């Protein structure tokens, strides 16, 4: 894959579905309870739809009942960056792929132990690779 920072907007549009582009590259949100990974229970890894970077492992996924895939921890390493989000009249923490800057979703401080965090992630921003 090309270095993500060298990929043009037109190339992102060509590589991604319209919904993937809207959410991952434009910071949108998919409808709750609509994503393919929301109810997924298989063992495996979740990768960025844009650049393929490993983001989450299935053993940190849990059902938060919020309508989006939820994880209590990211994969080891600095794979996700956090940004202050003041849109929609509230203060939240947006999460983006550290490799390609794709919008993934948000992280909230109401998750289970051991982290107490809930990464609320748009399914369209993820690809799933089953465990061997």
């Amino acid at each position: 894959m090309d270095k993500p920072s060298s990929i043009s907007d037109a190339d992102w549009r060509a590589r991604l579905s319209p919904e993937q582009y809207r959410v991952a590259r434009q910071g949108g949100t998919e409808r709750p309870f609509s994503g393919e990974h929301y109810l997924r229970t298989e063992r495996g890894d979740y990768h960025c739809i844009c650049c393929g970077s490993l983001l989450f492992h299935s053993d940190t996924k849990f059902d938060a009942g919020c309508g989006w895939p939820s994880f209590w921890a990211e994969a080891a390493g600095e794979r996700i960056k956090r940004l202050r989000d003041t849109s929609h009249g509230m203060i939240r923490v947006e999460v983006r792929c550290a490799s390609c800057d794709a919008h993934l979703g948000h992280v909230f401080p109401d998750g289970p132990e051991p982290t107490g965090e809930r990464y609320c992630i748009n399914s369209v921003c993820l690809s799933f690779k089953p465990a061997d």
Side-chain angles (χ1 to χ4, degrees), residues 59-121:
D59 60 354
T60 66
K61 188 174 186 288
F62 70 102
D63 184 1
C66 63
W68 293 276
S70 297
F71 303 86
W72 53 263
E74 65 186 88
E78 296 178 1
R79 299 173 184 277
I80 293 178
K81 64 181 178 179
R82 297 171 182 226
L83 302 166
R84 180 180 166 99
D85 178 359
T86 58
S87 64
H88 306 291
M90 61 184 109
I91 299 173
R92 302 180 291 177
V93 178
E94 177 186 6
V95 289
R96 290 183 169 263
C97 176
S99 295
C100 71
D101 204 40
H103 170 75
L104 302 172
H106 292 85
V107 62
F108 301 96
D110 61 1
E113 293 300 325
T115 64
E117 294 188 315
R118 173 176 55 97
Y119 288 84
C120 185
I121 306 298

Side-chain angles (χ1 to χ4, degrees), residues 2-13:
D2 299 329
K3 185 176 177 183
S5 61
S6 69
I7 299 172
S8 71
D9 187 64
D11 286 339
W12 282 124
R13 286 181 186 272

Side-chain angles (χ1 to χ4, degrees), residues 9 12-13 15-30 47-51 55 94-97 100-105 121-127:
D9 187 64
W12 282 124
R13 286 181 186 272
R15 292 175 187 213
L16 302 170
S17 73
E19 179 71 348
Q20 289 168 334
Y21 177 82
R22 183 185 72 77
V23 177
R25 304 315 310 173
Q26 295 184 313
T29 302
E30 69 186 354
H47 297 258
C48 177
I49 197 67
C50 294
C51 71
L55 299 172
E94 177 186 6
V95 289
R96 290 183 169 263
C97 176
C100 71
D101 204 40
H103 170 75
L104 302 172
I121 306 298
N122 291 288
S123 280
V124 297
C125 298
L126 301 172
S127 65

